[in-house]
């Protein structure tokens, strides 16, 4: 686990104990739930650093972890990751509540929470802002190409080489190259997130085949899908510049008869 995340979770546990003492040990579940929602939807730059330390967080899926109605249908990558962190933290706080006899377990090990606490379902706002990142701003201002621009440059070089060999099927070539240069492994995505935390604001947006991940794609795959689509669009524009793809009267690229072809997510 990320050292930064371990520190944050330790602070949440200490604050939970303090809040329970102050309340006379009332409402252990509601207190834990509120505290986790207040503390664990993390600042975008902080979350990016945590992901860099622990890329496995990019395997997180939304599941049933997101309580906020606004984010539930089309959640941002950062929300998916934080919701999973929150769920794990809440489970840890419930264990503390059981250890201190604030809550009990039944014979199956299920933690028993009063109906009064469960009925007080709250709508917790998510205030994390994924539209602004000091880290991204500072990194983009630095001289030299970014990791992502280097990757795209390599893909463009490969695409141009393929056009020089055979320009007759530029669209299919763009599909193949964009798929070939797609990044799927969490260890490969994490450095891109660290360099540009704004990637944590990306959403599924219906881009990923529902059957591939049962309608619940991992956070990292959402980023991959967007980057793959960006690369494909860039290659198509490059193909147009080289005269290998035609434009219609509106200036749009004329695609082949099967426009449903997309870069392969595997």
């Amino acid at each position: 686990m990320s050292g930064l995340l371990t520190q944050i979770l330790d602070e949440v546990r200490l604050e939970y104990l303090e809040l329970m003492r102050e309340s006379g040990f009332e409402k252990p579940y509601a207190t834990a739930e509120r505290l986790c929602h207040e503390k664990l939807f993390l600042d975008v730059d902080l979350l990016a650093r945590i992901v860099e330390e622990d890329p496995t967080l990019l395997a997180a899926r939304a599941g049933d972890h997101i309580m906020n109605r606004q984010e539930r249908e089309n959640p941002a990558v950062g929300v998916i990751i934080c919701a999973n962190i929150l769920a794990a933290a809440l489970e840890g706080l419930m264990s503390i509540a059981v250890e201190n006899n604030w809550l009990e377990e039944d014979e199956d090990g299920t933690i028993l929470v009063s109906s009064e606490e469960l009925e007080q379902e709250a709508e917790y706002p998510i205030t994390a802002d994924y539209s602004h990142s000091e880290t991204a701003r500072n990194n983009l201002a630095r001289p030299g190409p970014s990791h992502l621009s280097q990757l795209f440059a390599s893909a463009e070089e490969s695409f141009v080489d393929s056009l020089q060999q055979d320009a007759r099927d530029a669209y299919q070539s763009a599909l193949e190259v964009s798929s070939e240069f797609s990044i799927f492994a969490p260890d490969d995505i994490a450095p891109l997130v660290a360099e540009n935390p704004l990637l944590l604001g990306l959403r599924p947006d219906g881009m990923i085949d529902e059957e591939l991940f049962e309608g619940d794609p991992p956070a990292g795959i959402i980023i991959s899908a967007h980057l793959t689509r960006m690369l494909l669009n860039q290659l198509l524009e490059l193909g147009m510049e080289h005269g290998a793809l035609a434009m219609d009267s509106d200036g749009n690229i004329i695609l082949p008869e099967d426009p449903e072809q997309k870069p392969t997510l595997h």
Side-chain angles (χ1 to χ4, degrees), residues 54 136 235:
D54 185 3
L235 296 181

Side-chain angles (χ1 to χ4, degrees), residues 19-36:
L19 288 171
M20 288 303 296
R21 280 192 290 269
E22 291 175 358
S23 70
F25 309 106
E26 297 290 327
K27 298 184 178 179
Y29 177 79
T31 300
E33 185 181 72
R34 175 175 54 81
L35 177 63
C36 286

Side-chain angles (χ1 to χ4, degrees), residues 33-194:
E33 185 181 72
R34 175 175 54 81
L35 177 63
C36 286
H37 277 85
E38 288 177 355
K39 298 293 184 181
L40 294 176
F41 280 100
L42 305 170
D43 169 79
V44 65
D45 288 338
L46 174 59
L47 182 57
R49 291 168 59 198
I50 289 171
V51 167
E52 184 179 26
E53 290 184 355
D54 185 3
T56 62
L57 291 169
L58 290 165
R61 301 189 187 202
D64 296 322
H65 297 310
I66 300 172
M67 297 177 66
N68 182 277
R69 291 190 190 93
Q70 260 185 318
E71 287 287 346
R72 198 175 293 156
E73 293 302 317
N74 191 32
V77 168
V79 170
I80 294 172
I81 295 173
C82 286
N84 278 265
I85 291 172
L86 188 154
L90 183 58
E91 185 177 341
L93 296 187
M94 290 300 91
S95 296
I96 291 174
V98 170
E99 290 168 7
N100 286 276
N101 296 316
W102 303 331
L103 290 173
E104 295 180 352
E105 289 180 319
D106 65 15
E107 57 187 14
D108 297 321
T110 302
I111 296 175
L112 304 174
V113 180
S114 71
S115 57
E116 180 185 357
E117 283 198 82
L118 291 176
E119 286 169 1
Q120 294 178 355
E121 184 176 347
E123 177 69 21
Y124 297 101
I126 295 176
T127 58
D129 181 7
Y130 301 104
S131 65
H132 177 75
S133 164
E134 283 297 317
T135 298
R137 187 176 66 82
N138 292 336
N139 286 340
L140 291 173
R142 290 178 180 172
S146 66
H147 294 311
L148 186 59
S149 63
Q150 290 179 50
L151 174 73
F152 277 24
S154 296
E156 288 179 2
E157 183 178 348
S158 177
F159 178 60
V160 170
D161 286 344
S162 72
L163 291 182
Q164 291 173 345
Q165 295 173 28
D166 185 1
R168 288 175 298 177
D169 199 352
Y171 181 72
Q172 183 61 36
S173 178
L175 284 172
E176 291 173 358
V177 171
S178 59
S179 294
E180 178 188 346
F181 281 83
S182 297
I183 299 174
F184 296 107
D187 285 343
D188 294 327
I189 298 171
L192 302 180
V193 170

Side-chain angles (χ1 to χ4, degrees), residues 184 203-226 229 262 265:
F184 296 107
R203 301 172 184 274
D205 291 334
M207 294 178 61
I208 300 169
D209 190 334
E210 290 282 325
E211 294 182 3
L212 278 178
F213 303 101
E214 300 177 346
D216 190 14
I221 292 297
I222 296 170
I223 295 175
S224 295
H226 278 272
R229 179 65 59 86
K262 298 178 182 177
L265 293 179

